[in-house]
């Protein structure tokens, strides 16, 4: 009976695979036939530390095996994981503006910080103080399979596993030499990605152990927005401007004569432009205008700056990594093991040249670089604002005290100048990471297995930021009376001419105004773990077939994070981020935690009618943090097999996530966040009634400023963010429930038939996060919430001026929930002399995907929607693969499907009609390989076989990180058809 239970377990333990791989039992732990027999009967699955005959996971597990990994021909595992219907794209190669230069995983759309990343069941070192793991460091050539556990795993692995865990199982018993080479490029002959990996492994004397060394190099080249027709020019999401131009294949329309400059266009760009735009802060719409190339200043605007072409659709990267694994049997019962991973990764991001953006400057009207006509325009605009009650000591320095604006005075102004002469803004992320694990495991008391280990890891990252403006220096450079020297007396100061078009900034001016800044980030992790598991022989239910199996353990974990920015990055609001992104301050913090845990697996029934087997799985973990105190997590699950071919499984868990270093130690800084509109601005002037007028005034506006200040620019608003020192966030708590059925019938014509259907409900309370800027604006100006109104800090009535902002302190929000069902299947059809057809697939349907920040905030429902509050989340996603294998030849076709999505209903009126929905998408990927000899295999792949174009939604349809180049480049294929070629040598 035990043997039959084992066979069923091996079929069902991992649920269902999206590949056509065979299910794999864990490797033998010791040499010798008798010991091998013992280990074949004792198995463990991801999501549990228990090794138990016939153990089956009560949680759904999807496994990606070696065959599927080979089909995808992808050296970056994040690209493999993002095809799963259970994930949505995190940070990665298609994120540019807002990228941290990493590749993260986001299970169930609940945030990458809630997805725990493991290697061989052990925590992977985060790359940053936010606790996120960069999957780029995973040695793809060494991966045997990837297990994805849904529905919480905190009772087993601890904090962060609320959405689930991704476990990379490495090849620990590799023998021989394997050399993999691959090349990718698009149908446009760009975006090359090259990879070379060498893996060498050998058994030790008398097969008492094994050592493996794997070396890897990967290089990915850039693709800019300007390299694709869709990315050439910004398309407005709200009114569709420039959309017809794109459909007609027309190039961007240059700015008219007198306003021409590189990338200066009529529409479709930023108001931080060339020539410079001018506005008196708080002076109203009439106190603004735009310069011309000849230095004159007019009330009408003539151009915007086309920032699109500089940005990346695919960021360039280069990676070197090495991994060594070793194990050695001291005796037949005891084994020592160790692993060491090192990686060096460089990632570049780039956006358009910097500028002065919304920064406010004290401008002396006597500056001789200002032309006479432009100076008079400014004086007239200032006196007009003065007569309208829009000028006071906050935006005007009446130097001579005569009560009128004249040449001797200073005005507080915005000079929106794109500093093209300084070059593009770039950020280079150089990250080195190493992590080692050492330990000993074996058997005591005959059949109890112990494991004692220690692991340590460090991540060191340097970011070099170039092409930004130094706003402090620009302020100094504007304060000049002779155009040669600066009034601050600094001999190195070079006065700057922002009062015209391209070329007014000379090389000498640019040298003083530019900023190159560095920032350092370090993260370290220490983990000591001791576990023991085995059968409790005296606790066995009669007829159950096996006794209770238990696992007990202790884990100590200490994590520290450090962030140190350059001195100029610390300045607020005049940092060297050029007014686009606020300032940064040092972060230093950490936490330690002691954890005790236990698990149990109790067979209840074995071999009875309508109960072939019935097993109960349970676990409990107690954790004591030095930051948030103690918390408890637990799990309770049941596996019931009424007949041998049907498994029913149910699991209820209480999961948790403690705040990471960034959430408890981040200082208060200024930055940018997405927002649709400012209800108190000129854009909403026609809808301001007495109630809204009063609410606007309650947030620091004068009566005259209401309806006159400029609106949110480029979908972003200034924010004031960081950890709230008076109210630090506590831990998140989640209730996760999963239930499913796995059916493995036997058919005469089909082999390995497996089908599973699972339901999941992940309900998280006290989520750690921030109110979005738009939530705060809506709560104040639509609901009249005084607490939220108090978070809005204006300068001159404006929200776009440096120094203004919306307070976004990190805190515990109300709730986040993901609920859905997932179907998986796998079977093969032998065709005698014609080989075999293999079919596999996974389908995920969301039933709920919503969040609510507070009792008074609206529920944000993201199921099937996109907006600045919702990254694209299709209600239904599926992936299906059909493979034909015959002798030495394999041909495989993968179908990726994404259901249609719509604009979030509450903001639908802000979107151009044709940008309010995206139809369903199907992509087809073709793969073929051929074993040329026993030692050489060649493979060819084509992704996006039919070259389906991405949807067009404009540049403000979603959050900055994921809405770029007028589409969603992480969710939809923007690169076109992609060709992959690989050769593998194995001896």
């Amino acid at each position: 009976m035990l043997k039959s239970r084992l066979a069923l377990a091996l079929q069902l333990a991992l649920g269902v695979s999206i590949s056509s791989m065979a299910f794999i039992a864990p490797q033998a732990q010791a040499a010798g036939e008798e010991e091998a027999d013992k280990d074949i009967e004792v198995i463990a699955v991801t999501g549990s530390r228990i090794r138990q005959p016939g153990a089956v996971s009560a949680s759904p597990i999807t496994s990606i095996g070696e065959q599927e990994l080979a089909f995808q021909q992808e050296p970056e595992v994040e690209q493999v994981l993002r095809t799963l219907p259970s994930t949505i794209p995190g940070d990665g190669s298609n994120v540019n503006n807002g990228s941290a230069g990493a590749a993260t995983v986001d299970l169930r759309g609940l945030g990458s910080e809630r997805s725990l990343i493991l290697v061989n069941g052990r925590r992977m070192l985060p790359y940053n103080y936010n606790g996120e793991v960069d999957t780029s460091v995973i040695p793809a050539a060494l991966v045997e399979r990837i297990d994805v556990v849904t529905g919480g795993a905190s009772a087993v692995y601890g904090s962060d596993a609320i959405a689930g865990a991704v476990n990379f199982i490495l090849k620990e018993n590799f023998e021989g030499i394997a050399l993999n080479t691959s090349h990718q490029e698009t149908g446009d002959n760009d975006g090359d990605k090259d990879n070379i990996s060498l893996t060498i492994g050998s058994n030790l004397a008398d097969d008492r152990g094994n050592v493996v060394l794997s070396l890897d190099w990967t290089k990915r080249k850039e693709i800019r927005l300007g390299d694709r027709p869709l990315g050439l020019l910004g398309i407005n999401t709200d009114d569709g401007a420039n959309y017809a131009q794109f459909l007609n294949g027309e190039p961007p329309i240059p700015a008219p004569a007198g306003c021409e400059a590189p990338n200066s266009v009529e529409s479709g760009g930023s108001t931080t432009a060339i020539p410079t735009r001018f506005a008196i802060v708080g002076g109203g719409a009439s106190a603004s205008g735009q310069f011309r190339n000849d230095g004159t200043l007019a009330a009408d605007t003539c151009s915007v700056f086309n920032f699109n072409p500089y940005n990346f659709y695919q960021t360039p990267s280069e990676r070197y990594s090495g991994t060594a694994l070793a194990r050695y049997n001291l005796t037949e019962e005891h084994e020592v093991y160790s692993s060491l991973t090192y990686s060096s990764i460089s990632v570049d991001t780039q956006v358009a040249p910097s500028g002065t953006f919304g920064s406010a400057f004290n401008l002396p009207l006597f500056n001789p670089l200002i032309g006479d006509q432009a100076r008079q325009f400014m004086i007239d605009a200032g006196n007009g604002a003065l007569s309208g009650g829009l000028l006071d000591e906050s935006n005007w320095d009446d130097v001579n005290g005569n009560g009128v604006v004249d040449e001797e005075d200073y005005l507080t102004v915005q000079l929106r100048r794109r500093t093209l002469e300084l070059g593009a803004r770039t950020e280079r992320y150089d990250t080195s990471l190493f992590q080692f694990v050492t330990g000993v495991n074996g058997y005591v008391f005959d059949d109890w297995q112990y494991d004692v280990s220690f692991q340590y890891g460090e991540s060191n990252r340097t970011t070099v930021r170039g092409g930004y403006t130094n706003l402090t220096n620009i302020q100094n450079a504007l304060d000049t009376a002779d155009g040669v020297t600066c009034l601050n007396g600094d001999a190195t100061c070079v006065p700057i001419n922002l009062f015209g078009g391209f070329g007014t900034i000379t090389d000498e001016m640019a040298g003083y105004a530019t900023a190159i800044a560095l920032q350092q980030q370090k993260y370290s992790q220490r983990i000591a773990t001791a576990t023991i598991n085995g059968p409790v022989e005296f606790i066995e239910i009669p007829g159950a077939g096996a006794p209770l199996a238990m696992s007990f353990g202790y884990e100590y974990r200490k994590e520290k994070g450090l962030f140190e920015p350059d001195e100029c990055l610390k300045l607020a609001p005049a940092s060297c981020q050029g007014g686009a992104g606020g300032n940064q301050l040092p972060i230093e913090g950490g936490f330690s935690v002691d954890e005790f845990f236990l698990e149990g697996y109790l067979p209840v029934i074995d071999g009875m009618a309508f109960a072939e087997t019935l097993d109960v799985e349970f676990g409990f973990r107690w954790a004591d943090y030095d930051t948030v105190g103690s918390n408890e997590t637990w799990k309770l699950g049941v596996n019931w097999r009424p007949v041998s071919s049907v498994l029913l499984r149910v699991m209820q868990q209480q999961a948790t996530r403690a705040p990471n270093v960034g959430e408890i130690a981040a200082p208060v800084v200024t930055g940018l966040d997405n927002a649709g509109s400012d209800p108190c601005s000129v854009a909403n002037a026609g809808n301001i009634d007495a109630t809204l007028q009063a609410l606007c005034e309650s947030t620091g506006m004068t009566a005259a400023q209401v309806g006159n200040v400029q609106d949110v620019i480029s979908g972003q608003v200034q924010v004031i963010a960081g950890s709230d020192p008076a109210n630090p966030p506590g831990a998140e708590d989640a209730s996760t429930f999963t239930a499913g059925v796995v059916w493995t019938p036997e058919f005469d014509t089909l082999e390995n038939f497996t089908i599973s259907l699972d339901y999941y409900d992940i309900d998280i309370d006290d989520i750690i996060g921030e109110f979005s800027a738009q939530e705060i604006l809506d709560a104040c100006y639509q609901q009249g919430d005084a607490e939220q109104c108090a978070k809005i800090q204006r300068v001159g009535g404006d929200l776009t001026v440096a120094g203004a902002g919306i307070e976004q302190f990190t805190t515990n929000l109300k709730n986040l929930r993901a609920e859905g069902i997932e179907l998986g299947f796998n079977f093969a059809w032998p065709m005698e002399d014609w080989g075999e057809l293999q079919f596999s697939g996974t389908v995920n349907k969301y039933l709920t995907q919503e969040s609510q920040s507070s009792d008074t905030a609206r529920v944000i429902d993201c199921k099937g929607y996109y907006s600045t509050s919702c990254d694209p989340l299709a209600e239904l996603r599926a992936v299906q693969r059909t493979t034909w294998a015959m002798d030495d030849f394999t041909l495989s076709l993968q179908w990726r499907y994404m259901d249609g999505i719509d604009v979030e209903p509450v903001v639908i009126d802000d979107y151009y009609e044709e940008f309010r929905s995206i139809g369903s998408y199907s992509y087809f990927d073709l793969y073929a390989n051929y074993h040329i000899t026993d030692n050489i295999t060649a493979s060819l792949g084509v992704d996006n076989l039919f070259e389906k174009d991405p949807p067009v939604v404009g540049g403000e349809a979603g959050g900055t990180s994921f809405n770029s180049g007028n589409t969603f480049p992480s969710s939809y294929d923007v690169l076109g058809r992609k060709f992959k070629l690989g050769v593998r040598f194995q001896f």
Side-chain angles (χ1 to χ4, degrees), residues 347-393:
V347 178
D348 292 297
T349 64
Q350 176 178 289
V351 294
S354 188
T356 54
F357 298 98
S359 300
F361 299 102
N362 291 321
L363 178 67
L365 296 179
F366 52 79
N367 185 323
L369 299 176
I370 304 173
D372 292 339
Q373 183 274 338
R375 181 180 295 104
Q376 192 58 50
F377 182 99
M378 295 177 183
I379 292 172
D380 292 343
N383 284 312
L386 180 63
S387 64
L390 298 174
L391 219 60
D392 56 31
E393 63 275 5

Side-chain angles (χ1 to χ4, degrees), residues 789-858:
C789 287
K791 298 178 180 179
I792 300 173
Q793 310 296 325
R794 295 177 178 270
V795 172
D798 207 313
L799 281 177
T800 66
V801 179
I806 298 174
E807 290 182 0
Q808 275 189 320
F809 293 140
T810 301
T811 186
N812 288 104
L813 307 178
K814 184 180 180 183
N815 184 260
L816 174 64
R817 185 184 180 199
E819 177 193 22
I821 54 176
E822 191 159 88
L823 171 72
F825 62 88
N826 186 80
F827 63 91
W829 176 31
M831 300 186 297
E832 298 181 353
D833 295 338
W834 289 93
E836 182 178 77
L837 280 178
Q838 302 163 357
F839 302 88
S840 60
T842 304
V843 182
N844 180 76
K845 179 178 174 61
Y846 283 106
L847 303 176
T848 305
Q849 182 73 33
E850 60 186 28
S851 62
Q852 187 177 19
S853 297
S854 68
D855 290 329
T856 58
R858 73 177 180 90

Side-chain angles (χ1 to χ4, degrees), residues 7-30:
L8 288 167
L10 296 180
Q11 273 190 307
L12 303 176
L14 298 180
V16 63
S17 167
I18 67 165
S19 72
S20 53
M21 61 166 275
F23 292 105
I24 300 173
Q27 64 199 40
Q29 297 296 314

